[in-house]
Amino acid sequence: MHQQLRGESDYEQLPDDVPVSAHVADVEQGKGISAYFMFVIQVKQKGDARYFIYRRYRQFHNLQVKLKGKFDPENNKNFNTCVLPALPGKVYLGNKQEIAEKRIHELNIYMKKLLALPAWILLDEDLRIFFYQTKEDSVQVPKSLRRLRPPTRRVQTKTVREGVIPEDEKPWAEALYNFTGANDLELTFKAGDIIYLLKKVNEQWFEGIHSHCTGIFPKSFVRIIKDLSQEVAAIQEDRRIVAHWFRCVYHKEHCCEIRDIYLKTGISLQPEYKMLLSKMRAEFATEDIALNYCDPEGDLVRILDDTDLELMAVEAEERPKVTKADFAPWRVHVSRKHDLTIYNINP
């Protein structure tokens, strides 16, 4: 009987056009007589090609039925069987968009487990047809891709400290139960582990750091020892100085470098342009730099004066880029003065 884990040698023999990973990037309403919603899915092939497909829940269900008929041990007596991942069940009542949104997490888990099955399953005709980009898929343009991380350059993280914050002063929690992340966005930890809190995502989820990894995790799996609110309240006692740390992203030629910079004297919500430019020139030991900020659409905007910093501050209050305790709510993007490749020139 074939093993459940994919063998490395078998995987290497797969053709480059075989799907190896898939992720729901958004949910969009379809056009038809009755209202329905489609999942916008980014598919990655073994050859590293990426594309989008559009599938309804019933297409997932039909695929599952076909695969069970072929490979489920309960339905077959042959040797080519394996245990298939569970597909979230049908829901007949409720708001269709809310139902679709709630299914995203479960469908991502389903596709991750499905595409991690033995290599010979990935060659199944029905599975390949499901993940194949049809002509209709190729002409559609995704609207927003709210749940897809934008493609980024390779990132190096470096923390520059003029002072050290003791570990026992940071907001933290103790894990009550084991938790295994379903994807790269979620942490994995065991009961008794310590997780340092970065921000509150919503009423059920936090973002934190554990074993040098950053990710989100459910609040119900931990016991809060020092809450974020305690740290934030202490910082906001001085309304003029909003933080002592700020984050900057340095756009190099082939990668981005993240630096967390500490200022003993603190920094205001809206710093002065000349002061910030001088600080960045000293930090990167070069005069050939430009300051930028990221607008709500995700595009970089060059900062030329105090007016631009005022816009950055206003947008940061509405949509904070950094919500770690004692960090300014914005981040500065530093680029080379004559590098225009970082800007979006499309209308």
Side-chain angles (χ1 to χ4, degrees):
M1 180 177 293
H2 292 273
Q3 293 182 348
Q4 188 73 6
L5 295 176
R6 179 191 296 166
E8 183 176 352
S9 59
D10 292 338
Y11 176 75
E12 292 300 325
Q13 294 176 23
L14 288 172
D16 286 344
D17 62 351
V18 169
V20 293
S21 70
H23 184 83
V24 176
D26 207 349
V27 174
E28 294 184 4
Q29 185 168 1
K31 298 179 181 179
I33 299 175
S34 60
Y36 67 92
F37 288 85
M38 303 189 73
F39 298 96
V40 184
I41 303 167
Q42 186 187 50
V43 179
K44 177 184 175 183
Q45 294 180 330
K46 177 175 175 281
D48 209 32
R50 290 175 171 84
Y51 53 81
F52 292 104
I53 61 174
Y54 298 75
R55 299 292 182 265
R56 297 178 64 173
Y57 170 80
R58 69 182 185 185
Q59 291 173 281
F60 278 93
H61 182 266
N62 291 341
L63 172 66
Q64 183 76 345
V65 170
K66 292 177 181 178
L67 294 179
K68 278 192 171 184
K70 296 178 183 178
F71 306 119
D72 196 307
E74 295 182 1
N75 301 328
N76 294 279
K77 302 297 183 182
N78 57 48
F79 293 103
N80 292 330
T81 61
C82 72
V83 178
L84 297 170
L87 180 71
K90 290 185 176 181
V91 179
Y92 297 96
L93 297 175
N95 181 285
K96 292 185 177 181
Q97 183 173 4
E98 290 181 0
I99 294 172
E101 294 280 356
K102 291 179 180 179
R103 277 179 171 155
I104 290 177
H105 178 66
E106 293 176 316
L107 289 178
N108 280 334
I109 295 176
Y110 172 76
M111 290 188 293
K112 179 180 180 179
K113 292 182 177 180
L114 185 65
L115 295 176
L117 290 175
W120 50 272
I121 293 248
L122 302 186
L123 296 173
D124 177 74
E125 182 180 7
D126 289 316
L127 186 145
R128 296 188 70 179
I129 289 175
F130 177 85
F131 288 105
Y132 176 76
Q133 186 185 44
T134 65
K135 185 177 180 180
E136 184 178 354
D137 292 329
S138 64
V139 298
Q140 294 191 65
V141 179
K143 295 178 181 178
S144 60
L145 304 180
R146 294 168 298 143
R147 297 175 179 268
L148 187 68
R149 283 184 167 180
T152 58
R153 301 176 182 178
R154 181 172 55 87
V155 173
Q156 301 171 342
T157 301
K158 180 179 179 180
T159 299
V160 180
R161 300 187 177 187
E162 295 179 13
V164 179
I165 298 178
E167 294 292 324
D168 58 0
E169 292 185 10
K170 296 180 180 179
W172 63 285
E174 180 183 3
L176 296 174
Y177 316 102
N178 295 348
F179 178 74
T180 302
N183 51 54
D184 293 339
L185 300 179
E186 298 179 4
L187 283 181
T188 294
F189 51 77
K190 296 180 180 179
D193 286 350
I194 300 301
I195 302 123
Y196 291 100
L197 307 178
L198 295 180
K199 70 176 181 179
K200 184 178 182 180
V201 179
N202 55 37
E203 292 301 322
Q204 287 79 40
W205 290 77
F206 275 93
E207 182 179 12
I209 298 177
H210 173 60
S211 297
H212 306 290
C213 295
T214 301
I216 61 174
F217 59 93
K219 179 181 178 182
S220 58
F221 277 67
V222 303
R223 178 169 62 95
I224 305 299
I225 306 299
K226 184 175 183 181
D227 203 347
L228 284 166
S229 58
Q230 301 173 21
E231 190 79 3
V232 173
I235 295 165
Q236 291 180 341
E237 289 181 1
D238 186 344
R239 296 182 178 274
R240 187 177 63 84
I241 302 300
V242 297
H244 290 84
W245 292 81
F246 71 93
R247 173 163 291 184
C248 70
V249 181
Y250 184 33
H251 295 259
K252 298 180 179 180
E253 184 176 358
H254 300 295
C255 70
C256 292
E257 178 184 323
I258 296 176
R259 294 195 185 187
D260 292 338
I261 300 176
Y262 180 77
L263 296 177
K264 288 183 179 180
T265 57
I267 192 164
S268 64
L269 176 64
Q270 183 186 329
E272 294 182 358
Y273 172 69
K274 290 183 179 179
M275 180 279 293
L276 191 60
L277 180 61
S278 175
K279 175 65 179 176
M280 292 297 93
R281 283 174 172 172
E283 179 66 38
F284 295 101
T286 178
E287 297 284 317
D288 183 29
I289 62 170
L291 306 184
N292 310 268
Y293 72 93
C294 191
D295 68 9
E297 285 72 42
D299 297 325
L300 292 183
V301 179
R302 180 162 288 193
I303 299 171
L304 300 175
D305 51 30
D306 288 339
T307 302
D308 292 328
L309 283 175
E310 182 179 356
L311 289 173
M312 178 186 76
V314 169
E315 291 183 358
E317 285 188 304
E318 297 176 352
R319 305 176 182 84
K321 302 292 189 304
V322 180
T323 55
K324 294 170 64 175
D326 206 12
F327 267 72
W330 39 260
R331 63 176 58 175
V332 177
H333 292 258
V334 179
S335 63
R336 291 168 295 160
K337 190 180 298 183
H338 303 292
D339 181 11
L340 303 180
T341 62
I342 66 171
Y343 302 107
N344 180 10
I345 60 173
N346 296 319

